[in-house]
Amino acid sequence: MEAALRPVYRRLHTIWLRSSIRSKREIASVAAAQHRLQDIYHEPPGKSLPVSLPPPQPSTVPPTQRLKDAKPFSHFLTDNFHRQHTYLRISVTERCNLRCTYCMPAAGVPLSPPAHLLTTPEIVYLSELFVGQGVRKIRLTGGEPTVRKDILPLMHEIGQLRSKGLKELCLTTNGISLHRKLDAMVDAGLTGVNLSLDTLDPYQFQIMTRRKGFDTVIKSLERILEMNRLGAGIRLKLNVVVMRGVNEHEIVPFVELGKDEAIEIRFIEYMPFDGNKWSQQKMLSYKEMVAIIREKHSGLCRQQDEGRSETSKTWQVPGFRGKIGFITSMTENFCGTCNRLRITADGNLKVCLFGNSEVSLRDLLRRENNGEPIDWAALEALTQVEMDRQQGVSGSTGPLGYGQRERDLLEVIGMAVKRKKERHAGMGQLENMKNRPMILIGG
């Protein structure tokens, strides 16, 4: 195992050396990258790039006035248990260039006809609708989102929603082709990457994914680390699905990747979805993972989780730059603070990853377009409705001043959110429930 890991560590170490050694060629390379990032951040030449956003300036508005002016959170995105849904995950494709055993059945999955999938204008329209209701974080998933042909224009359009309240634009990816598109994605507004990598062994990678590609995933990982050293500020997490008898022996090597790198390694309990042959015997629990790490790093300690709605339980080895997270969906669910909604590639809203009830936003969105996919010309017409609403033109009246299409969508979204259960089913039930394969949900 140690021999198999050497190429990985050597590559990571090489990146570190590049940032430390100041040869003329390296300085020129770093300078060129700095200029590229200065263009992204719109900084004048010669000005150093911030590693993080500058601290917010204190408000001059008195606290009592801020409370008086504050808008109540959207009741459409608030469920019956007072959970406010500020995080939207959108699957942008059903296709993937890997065939991971826990995600896709061995026989594959039937793909939806292209006309059944959301178009880029439809995704942008729905994104804007949700951001207008209080969504502050959007994550693009798949399938594998980087295989979508127009992923870059799509991200650019969603990135424009920062002016309307969007705070984070993230991506979950297997990393196969990420390195070729990462620079442009950062330019479009990308703030975070969850990189799926379940093994550090190239041969085991091929077994688990049924495909080659380990080297290109590592190349994408290296590129993110390199850009972050230049100030890109991409929040990086490695997602590792742990399965007993398959890759639990790699837990400690993954943890040690965070010794010198600011990476969060997130270990995910193996979850049941259609066709992935889940069994409780294969599932390694969160507590078992912690015990494995403590055998090597006895000082492992629990850290304060980042936010009330954080799904990951955070730990850290003293002296390590990186952190460790555990996604404990099977043994210790986090339903009570869930703030996530999902839109599938074919336009269905799922209020729970493990729920099998869905409602079509696509069909409602296309109703006045004769059920046909909405292109940019049709979206222009939708935009005109919004402009008419803002200008008080006849036909724009109704609750909240929205047009009929928006009102209908919000009512359907609100009803779906209100039906969200207090918690999902547990082991002994989940594996027997009908649900999509993970690849058709989007994670």
Side-chain angles (χ1 to χ4, degrees), residues 198-199 201-209 245-247 249-250:
D198 305 307
T199 177
D201 181 342
Y203 304 103
Q204 182 68 10
F205 178 92
Q206 193 168 342
I207 292 171
M208 295 185 72
T209 66
V246 178
N247 63 342
H249 61 285
E250 298 193 64

Side-chain angles (χ1 to χ4, degrees), residues 287-311:
K287 291 181 179 179
E288 290 176 285
M289 296 184 213
V290 170
I292 289 172
I293 298 170
R294 277 186 165 156
E295 288 179 4
K296 178 69 180 292
H297 300 287
S298 58
L300 179 71
C301 55
R302 182 73 187 269
Q303 304 290 302
Q304 184 171 352
D305 297 328
E306 294 192 7
R308 183 174 179 272
S309 299
E310 180 60 48
T311 61

Side-chain angles (χ1 to χ4, degrees), residues 400-425:
L400 302 178
Y402 278 102
Q404 187 63 47
R405 181 183 291 104
E406 291 91 344
R407 295 202 303 272
D408 290 346
L409 280 165
L410 289 173
E411 288 295 335
V412 167
I413 292 166
M415 287 189 291
V417 170
K418 293 295 188 293
R419 288 197 298 266
K420 185 170 182 174
K421 297 179 180 179
E422 185 175 11
R423 62 178 59 88
H424 64 66

